[in-house]
Structure formats: C-alpha cells, structure tokens
Amino acid sequence: MSRRLLLLLAVTCGVAVGNIYFPQAVGPLIAAGLHVSPDAASLVVTATQIGYTLGLFLLVPLGDRLPHRRFLVTLLTLTGLGLLAAGCAPTLPFLVAASLAVGVSTVAAQVIAPLAAGLVADDGRGAVMGTLLSGSIGGMLLARTFSGTLGEWLGWRAPYLAAAAVVLLLAWVLARTLPVTAPSARGPYKAMLTASLALLRTEPELRRSCFYQATVFAGFSAVWTCVALLLTGPRYGLGASAVGMLALVGAVTMLCTPLAGRLVDREGPDRVNLVSLIGVLLSAAILAAGAAGGVAGLAALTLGTVLLDVAMQSGMVANQSRVFALRPDARSRLNTAYMTCAYLGGSAGSWLGVRIHDRAGWGGVCVLVALLAALALARHLVVPRPSRLGERPGAR
C-alpha cells in the first residue's frame, strides 16, 4: 500500500469518526438553543452512538460483498445529508432522529480497516492499523475542538453544517481517487449479518477482544460525555470550547498508536492489552482528582483524559490486530462483530455515565471507569487464553 493511499484512508477515518464525537462538546449549547435540559440534550450523543452501532451491524458486513469505492462514497454521501438535516433540526426529537441517521451511515472507518488489513503483510498489519487509528483519533480530537469553538461563535448548528460540507467534499474526492478493489465474499445479505453472530459464537479470541473493548470504551464514553457537564457546571464554569481544548491535548495519542501497532507486530497483542488496561485503571484514579476544581483539578483532568485516550486506543490496535488475523476472508464480518460490541459498550457507558453523574457526581463516573477496567483486567489475568503472552497476532 502506498503512503499516499494510506494517508487518504487515514483522513477518511478521521472525518467519519469525528461525526460521532463532536456532539459531545456542544451538548450544553444544544440544551440552551433548543430550551431543553442538559440531560435531555445528551440523548443526541447517545442516539449517534446507537446509530453507529446499528450501522456497524447492518452495513459494515457488506464490505466483504460490495466494491469498496462505491460503498464508501455512498456511505459518506448519506452521512453528509444526515448532517445537513441535523443542522437544520427545529426540535430536539428531530435532531435525535437525524443524529441516529448520521450514526448509522458514518461507518466508513470500519469499512476501511478490513480493506487496509488485506493490502498489507501480516507482520505490517499492526503498523497500518495504528496509522489508521491515528487518523481516527485526529478526527475525534479535532472534531471536539472544532465543534466546541465554532459552536460558541456561531451556535450549535454551525458544527453540523460545516461537517456536512467536509464529508460531502471527501465523498467527491474518494469517488475520483480510491482504487477499485474486488469483494472478498459472495452471498445473500441475511447470511452476511448472521455470519457476524456466528463468528462471535465460534471464535473465542474474537469474544475476548470484544469484551476488552466494550468495557474500556464504556468507561471512555462515560468520561467524555460527562466531562462537558463538569467543565460547564458550577465547579469550573467554563464554556463549551474548554471541552474541545481538553480533547485537543489528547493529540499525543496520535503519536502513541503507531508505536502501539509496532509493539503489537513485535510482541503480540496480549502484552499491549495488559499495559492498556492498567493504564485505564490509573487514569480513573487521576481523573477523580478533577472533582476538586481549580488549576489542580484541571491539570488532573488533562493528565487523566490523555492517559485514558492513549490506553483505550492502544488496546484498540491490539484487539483489531488479533481479530483481523483470525479469518482473512471475513474481515468485515469480524470487524462488524467486534465494533458492534465495542459501541454497544460505548452507548451504554454514555447513558450510564450521565445517570451516575446526576446522582454521584464526577467521582461516581470515575468509579464506574475503574470497575469496568477491573473487569477486563480480571478477564485478562485470570481466564486462560488460547494464545500465549507475547505471541504474534494470529499465531496459534
């Protein structure tokens, strides 16, 4: 794979993933603009993540069956139209419905990952996954910063309309530059959907990777949904742009995921998973100090979110490398099962995090993150694994 193609695919991942995360930074602005409570406005984030989970299950398996260029361009076009509808939403229910539609269609990154995995040798797959994930992280971070800042200047609708323009432009570029690839499988649509469920049943390494990512991503989503409530609440009294600036500090993650990918290629995914899960536990302890407010609290939030981001994304590289090594002919369906579980965890984490924050404050959210990480770590340390610690991805 050429570097130019890899860069284009990484940018596409960033744009697609950014659409899931930028509503997290403008939740308070949506609440004020549509005259609803912050709790009600958080449904926009949850709807986007639920839609994304549906898209993973219903659309991503088609990556094994359809030509990638046409499929990706279609997905991006539908996403752009959904963002336009969201930006023009007159009421919260309309916005929630449009956000659900955006989530369903903005799954381009999960179509790209199996495509790229099939274009490189086994001993380079981790590095490519790390590069693509860097693009996704860049989109996630820039989207939060962009939406928080632009939303404060021009209102909450502006980020949606600007994102729509970017997505539609990218669809036009991909239609003219992405190479044609042949599908890796044939069969009816229903069989593609059921295959993902069958793989969950028959592949223990897939189930293990799903559990790790679902628990960690639930904690990650809880933190980033609730940190906006903390920063814009009475403890800090900051604006929505502060959430975006906090997220921007996490750009260091973009440098860490390629390194994690090379470590996976050299040492195997299990060791990277172990370090990542310990990192999530440490981040929960650091984040808890953010409840104190002031400069010290803000420093704790900054350090804790950076550590959480690095740990979660490094674990993602390890998990995907393990999953894509299982069945080369079914990578899209494997990725469907894996990412569906991950985003079900993320959706549950966002929903549960807001409820815990209402009842137990920021400290309760940090306890939730620690408990989820402890569950994954216990699974990793106690339950026997088919692969030995330090094996190369996919080794038996």
Side-chain angles (χ1 to χ4, degrees):
M1 183 191 303
S2 69
R3 291 192 176 185
R4 181 176 297 180
L5 175 58
L6 183 58
L7 176 61
L8 176 62
L9 294 178
V11 170
T12 305
C13 288
V15 171
V17 170
N19 295 324
I20 309 168
Y21 291 99
F22 80 75
Q24 291 177 343
V26 295
L29 298 177
I30 291 173
L34 294 180
H35 308 292
V36 297
S37 69
D39 193 12
S42 70
L43 291 174
V44 173
V45 176
T46 303
T48 305
Q49 291 182 336
I50 290 175
Y52 192 69
T53 305
L54 290 173
L56 289 171
F57 183 73
L58 297 174
L59 298 181
V60 172
L62 293 174
D64 286 334
R65 187 171 180 255
L66 299 177
H68 287 104
R69 182 170 68 182
R70 186 176 66 188
F71 189 30
L72 286 170
V73 170
T74 301
L75 288 174
L76 289 170
T77 301
L78 292 173
T79 300
L81 295 176
L83 289 166
L84 282 174
C88 299
T91 63
L92 181 63
F94 191 100
L95 177 58
V96 169
S99 298
L100 184 70
V102 168
V104 169
S105 60
T106 191
V107 292
Q110 306 313 323
V111 175
I112 288 172
L115 163 65
L119 297 177
V120 295
D122 289 350
D123 60 357
R125 187 175 297 125
V128 169
M129 292 301 103
T131 300
L132 293 178
L133 193 53
S134 287
S136 298
I137 294 165
M140 177 178 65
L141 298 176
L142 291 175
R144 288 185 184 131
T145 304
F146 153 83
S147 63
T149 303
L150 188 62
E152 283 205 334
W153 287 349
L154 301 175
W156 69 266
R157 298 181 189 275
Y160 282 95
L161 298 177
V166 172
V167 169
L168 292 174
L169 176 61
L170 184 58
W172 180 82
V173 172
L174 284 175
R176 285 155 178 77
T177 58
L178 198 65
V180 176
T181 57
S184 62
R186 298 184 181 276
Y189 176 62
K190 182 178 179 180
M192 291 286 176
L193 295 183
T194 56
S196 298
L197 298 176
L199 287 167
L200 270 175
R201 186 176 64 253
T202 59
E203 296 286 351
E205 290 287 75
L206 173 61
R207 292 196 301 271
R208 178 160 73 100
S209 298
C210 289
F211 182 71
Y212 292 165
Q213 198 63 31
T215 51
V216 171
F217 194 53
F220 175 88
S221 298
V223 166
W224 279 107
T225 300
C226 296
V227 75
L229 302 176
L230 177 65
L231 290 177
T232 59
R235 187 62 56 91
Y236 286 93
L238 300 175
S241 60
V243 183
M245 294 306 296
L246 179 63
L248 191 59
V249 175
V252 66
T253 312
M254 297 176 64
L255 304 176
C256 295
T257 49
L259 175 60
R262 290 192 290 272
L263 287 173
V264 169
D265 288 335
R266 187 171 67 247
E267 303 291 340
D270 282 350
R271 287 183 178 173
V272 176
N273 277 135
L274 176 61
V275 174
S276 298
L277 293 172
I278 293 173
V280 175
L281 273 175
L282 290 175
S283 74
I286 296 170
L287 286 167
V295 175
L298 194 58
L301 290 178
T302 302
L303 179 59
T305 53
V306 168
L307 180 57
L308 178 63
D309 284 7
V310 170
M312 194 276 288
Q313 302 291 1
S314 296
M316 172 79 86
V317 174
N319 291 327
Q320 281 194 311
S321 295
R322 182 188 296 113
V323 167
F324 287 148
L326 296 175
R327 288 274 305 275
D329 63 321
R331 287 193 173 108
S332 287
R333 284 162 285 176
L334 286 165
N335 201 41
T336 293
Y338 170 72
M339 293 304 300
T340 299
C341 291
Y343 275 89
L344 281 173
S347 299
S350 293
W351 182 88
L352 188 59
V354 171
R355 272 82 196 156
I356 290 177
H357 186 270
D358 286 345
R359 291 164 175 77
W362 179 250
V365 175
C366 296
V367 171
L368 172 65
V369 175
L371 288 175
L372 290 168
L375 285 174
L377 186 60
R379 166 64 179 85
H380 191 73
L381 295 174
V382 176
V383 181
R385 301 186 296 277
S387 59
R388 297 186 306 274
L389 196 66
E391 268 189 334
R392 298 177 66 83
R396 295 294 186 191

